[in-house]
Amino acid sequence: MQKRGRRHRRTQRAQLTVFIIIGILLIIVGGLAYVFLYRPIGTPTPAAQLSTTRTAMEGLLRSCLDSALFGGAHLIALQGGYIDVSGSATYGDPGETELAAEAGPAYRLTRGSAAAYGVALGENRVPSLAVIVEKLKRYTLVEVSRCATFESIKQQGYAVRTPDIDWQAVGFDTARASVPYSNKKVDLILVLTDNDIVATLTYPVQASVQEGTIAVDQVVASVPLRLALTHSTATRIADNIVAAINTGAIEYVLTPDCQSLASADRKVNIYVDPGLDPAIQVVDTSTVGVRGPPYTFQYGVNGISVEGRCDG
């Protein structure tokens, strides 16, 4: 009888243990089922949230690139190929120091901008396209660093790391623009096509939360500004004016050259802002209705009178 009682108690304890294990398993399974099957609609998983944040970061960086590129291209064209005719250490633009030293003022005020003299001292002084592209690159890099602070991402609880480059200290040399948390360096490649400016920006950014780390390294943007075309037209006009000066002429008349200066789509107009020192304005109207005002490349002319205009 005693043996039978002991066996009975052991059996009861074993059954109780089994029931407890089964109960624990049911709780675990029920919890997992709730998490995966009954998650409230619209509540993203951590992975989905990270992906959404990454898309937002790319959008913010691309917006900064687009804004800096668009503003810089307009500024440089309005000022005859300079960010600042008087020079700007911030953007690495030495300005028109030679002309200022030799012939007085280096710019002519027109359309509210200080346009550099594209023709002075009997020379074509319009900066080359390669020089202008380098200026635009420097301007864009500085402005992106000011814009891309990712405050909205930080407000969501992310710890954000962005490049901290002293561009003046590295001489605007992107080969020296390293960041400590990435094997990629800050860089910007600009390609001028017939119809726009395309920018590829490498700009390593990291955002971290408990659920993981997001890395954004590169974005691409384009602006519909025909810098290459307007610069080419402006340079050819400066060559024509210099040729007239070399013949001893006191006036250059633009109108006879309109046909050779016309763009294929007839959307580039050329105007003269009259005055003692006139200004040439090459105005691309193709941007009207697409984005912003007409794109204008302009510069002053010293030493000769200029008359005429070209419409299309």
Side-chain angles (χ1 to χ4, degrees):
M1 288 289 295
Q2 290 179 349
K3 289 182 179 179
R4 196 168 14 206
R6 284 196 295 271
R7 282 198 300 271
H8 180 68
R9 285 193 295 273
R10 282 199 298 271
T11 300
Q12 286 181 325
R13 285 197 297 270
Q15 290 175 338
L16 179 61
T17 301
V18 170
F19 289 146
I20 291 173
I21 293 172
I22 292 173
I24 293 172
L25 289 174
L26 287 173
I27 291 172
I28 294 172
V29 171
L32 291 174
Y34 176 80
V35 169
F36 290 103
L37 298 179
Y38 298 100
R39 176 185 296 273
I41 296 175
T43 302
T45 63
Q49 183 60 52
L50 289 174
S51 178
T52 299
T53 302
R54 187 180 194 281
T55 300
M57 289 172 61
E58 288 178 334
L60 288 169
L61 186 57
R62 186 177 296 106
S63 177
C64 287
L65 173 59
D66 177 89
S67 177
L69 186 64
F70 188 81
H74 269 285
L75 174 67
I76 292 171
L78 284 172
Q79 300 195 156
Y82 294 86
I83 298 170
D84 188 332
V85 183
S86 300
S88 171
T90 300
Y91 299 108
D93 187 350
E96 178 51 290
T97 54
E98 179 185 351
L99 186 59
E102 294 188 19
Y107 60 86
R108 192 245 202 228
L109 293 175
T110 180
R111 287 200 175 192
S113 297
Y117 279 99
V119 176
L121 303 177
E123 299 174 347
N124 179 345
R125 304 185 66 85
V126 179
S128 70
L129 188 59
V131 168
I132 289 175
V133 168
E134 178 61 26
K135 292 176 189 286
L136 179 57
K137 176 180 176 179
R138 293 181 178 190
Y139 179 91
T140 303
L141 285 170
V142 171
E143 290 302 308
V144 165
S145 67
R146 291 175 172 176
C147 171
T149 59
F150 298 94
E151 291 302 321
S152 62
I153 304 300
K154 294 175 183 177
Q155 290 171 7
Q156 297 176 37
Y158 287 85
V160 181
R161 305 178 76 183
T162 58
D164 183 18
I165 310 297
D166 184 339
W167 288 111
Q168 293 182 52
V170 301
F172 290 87
D173 182 2
T174 53
R176 299 169 61 191
S178 302
V179 293
Y181 51 86
S182 174
N183 59 3
K184 294 182 172 63
K185 297 178 180 179
V186 177
D187 195 12
L188 178 63
I189 298 173
L190 299 180
V191 177
L192 275 59
T193 72
D194 292 339
N195 297 307
D196 55 15
I197 306 170
V198 181
T200 301
L201 174 68
T202 301
Y203 199 81
V205 180
Q206 286 186 1
S208 301
V209 286
Q210 185 175 359
E211 290 77 9
T213 298
I214 305 163
V216 173
D217 294 321
Q218 191 175 85
V219 293
V220 179
S222 64
V223 294
L225 301 178
R226 300 195 291 185
L227 172 57
L229 174 62
T230 53
H231 174 269
S232 173
T233 303
T235 300
R236 285 187 289 154
I237 296 170
D239 286 336
N240 292 344
I241 295 174
V242 170
I245 291 173
N246 290 337
T247 66
I250 61 173
E251 180 180 76
Y252 166 70
V253 180
L254 180 63
T255 310
D257 293 327
C258 287
Q259 186 63 34
S260 63
L261 294 169
S263 63
D265 61 2
R266 300 296 215 180
K267 290 186 176 181
V268 175
N269 301 327
I270 305 169
Y271 305 119
V272 176
D273 184 7
L276 180 61
D277 286 342
I280 297 295
Q281 298 166 340
V282 179
V283 182
D284 182 10
T285 63
S286 67
T287 58
V288 177
V290 178
R291 183 177 179 183
Y295 185 59
T296 302
F297 194 107
Q298 62 182 9
Y299 56 82
V301 175
N302 177 262
I304 190 171
S305 174
V306 181
E307 300 289 342
R309 61 181 285 168
C310 301
D311 295 309

